[in-house]
């Protein structure tokens, strides 16, 4: 299922086509494609080139790790994410490695890397669904994530699947229109809250 | 000047070509192109589709706002950013609008939006240089940014310029090789810190 963004101005094809489906095919993801996704993440911008992003990645073929990641997700997400061939967690390194000072942009830069990952997925015919709904404490203890790192988000990744596997509620959500605020609501000029004039 | 990433696996052209130059041309940026950049940001993913990103944008033709943004940057950034035709700030809405609870992913999702913006810029022949080096308190007071919002980063945006305008130090930085950690350092399997086996 495709769900292109109804854009007001032209944008890169992968940006228009990227979306976060609930329905994933069980088809495994080829290694080379997965590597391209993380390569895209790798070349994101970051404050002082710190590259604070880390990813825990589990393919369904590694059932033990896959089940561990799945168990970190909230139940509502487990219901559909369990069909995805790849599950993962993003993690932020919260201090600069060179001086151990807090990195104010750790989450920001993990976001940049994961955005790259999701766009590269789109290019490869894959989709990523990021999830805020996961248990960060459980992730930390399950994967022994050290103190200076912070679990950020879960994600499911794979080829698009059939919506018939989804619950009725999820089928509705899957088919709902995509919506965003107009630019006037977030692109300001010199006065806060007032749309830029260009 | 182009500076393509020496990628280990193929990625979207704009991801390979995006980088953060110091040398910008004074050539103004066409309105339609700017709109495409913010349209790309607009369609980023966000937790609960909150879209926590806001942007303050100043073109050089609006000298008053431009100087206000420039003054928020640290001196080292002002030295090169003052040549860029567009300066701006990203700002995060830190609480969910529907329930006023803290949005743990506010910075993360601003990062996703700005990553889209930077890739669309690359598509349009433009470059974005994001800056952690700015005074968030000054930005807040200058632009009367409300309490539930947090200034995130500065950015300069424009067509590539000549490095001869830069200081010697900056010329060296501009010509330095691009570098990233290998995937083995940030893509883990079931054990923290151990490279994923795929």
């Amino acid at each position: 299922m495709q769900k292109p963004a109804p854009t007001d101005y032209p944008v890169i094809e992968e940006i228009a086509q990227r979306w976060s489906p609930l329905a994933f095919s069980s088809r495994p993801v080829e290694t080379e494609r997965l590597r391209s996704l993380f390569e895209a993440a790798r070349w994101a911008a970051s404050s002082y080139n710190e590259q604070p992003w880390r990813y825990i990645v589990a393919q369904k073929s590694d059932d033990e790790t896959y089940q561990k990641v799945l168990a970190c997700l909230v139940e509502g997400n487990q219901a559909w994410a369990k069909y995805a061939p790849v599950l993962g967690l993003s993690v932020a390194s919260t201090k600069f490695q060179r001086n151990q000072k807090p990195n104010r942009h750790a989450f920001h830069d993990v976001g940049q890397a994961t955005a790259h990952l999701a766009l590269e997925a789109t290019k490869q015919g894959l989709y990523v669904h990021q999830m805020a709904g996961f248990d960060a404490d459980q992730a930390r203890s399950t994967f022994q994530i050290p103190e200076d790192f912070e679990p950020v988000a879960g994600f499911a990744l794979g080829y698009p699947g059939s919506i018939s596997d989804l619950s009725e509620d999820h089928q509705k959500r899957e088919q709902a229109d995509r919506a965003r605020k107009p630019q006037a609501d977030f692109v300001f000029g010199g006065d806060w809250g007032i749309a830029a004039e260009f």
Side-chain angles (χ1 to χ4, degrees), chain A:
Chain A
M1 183 173 160
Q2 294 203 326
K3 208 161 155 177
T7 56
D8 291 342
Y9 299 89
V11 298
I12 291 172
E13 181 65 15
E14 289 84 358
I15 289 178
Q17 295 295 339
R18 184 213 62 78
W19 71 294
S20 304
L22 299 166
F24 286 94
S25 158
S26 61
R27 176 182 163 189
V29 178
E30 298 83 347
T31 295
E32 286 293 302
R33 291 193 195 273
L34 268 186
R35 287 295 173 197
S36 279
L37 268 53
F38 291 104
E39 191 68 14
R42 183 180 172 221
W43 289 97
S46 63
S47 179
Y48 295 95
N49 199 23
E50 174 69 17
Q51 310 163 58
W53 45 80
R54 304 289 184 277
Y55 295 96
I56 292 167
V57 186
Q59 296 179 87
K60 218 164 204 170
S61 54
D62 172 7
D63 186 60
E64 188 186 337
T65 308
Y66 186 93
Q67 294 302 330
K68 281 183 184 171
V69 177
L70 187 64
C72 292
L73 306 179
V74 299
E75 270 185 47
N77 285 332
Q78 288 188 21
W80 56 267
K82 66 184 177 193
Y83 297 107
V86 183
L87 293 179
L89 299 168
S90 60
V91 180
S93 171
T94 57
K95 293 184 179 170
F96 285 107
Q97 291 197 314
R98 64 201 165 100
N99 61 13
Q100 297 301 305
K101 287 191 180 167
N103 179 357
R104 183 170 182 262
H105 294 93
F107 268 53
H108 179 272
D109 294 342
V110 172
Q112 297 207 86
T114 304
H116 276 206
L117 185 154
L119 293 176
E120 182 61 36
T122 309
K123 166 92 170 190
Q124 303 275 352
L126 296 158
Y127 291 88
V128 174
H129 192 132
Q130 299 181 56
M131 294 166 266
F134 80 109
D135 186 328
D137 292 333
Q138 187 175 338
R140 184 185 293 285
S141 65
T142 301
F143 293 103
Q144 301 185 292
I145 296 171
E147 202 183 336
D148 291 350
F149 293 83
E150 182 75 25
V152 175
F155 63 88
L157 156 60
Y159 290 99
S162 160
I163 67 164
S164 60
D165 288 337
L166 300 175
S167 69
E168 249 181 71
D169 272 4
H170 281 163
Q171 289 192 20
K172 274 188 198 150
R173 199 172 131 194
E174 194 81 338
Q175 292 171 301
D177 286 341
R178 300 186 59 188
R180 291 293 189 277
K181 297 170 192 165
Q183 288 197 22
D185 287 5
F186 71 89
V187 185
F188 305 150
D191 296 298
W192 181 257
I194 309 295
E197 279 187 358
F198 58 84

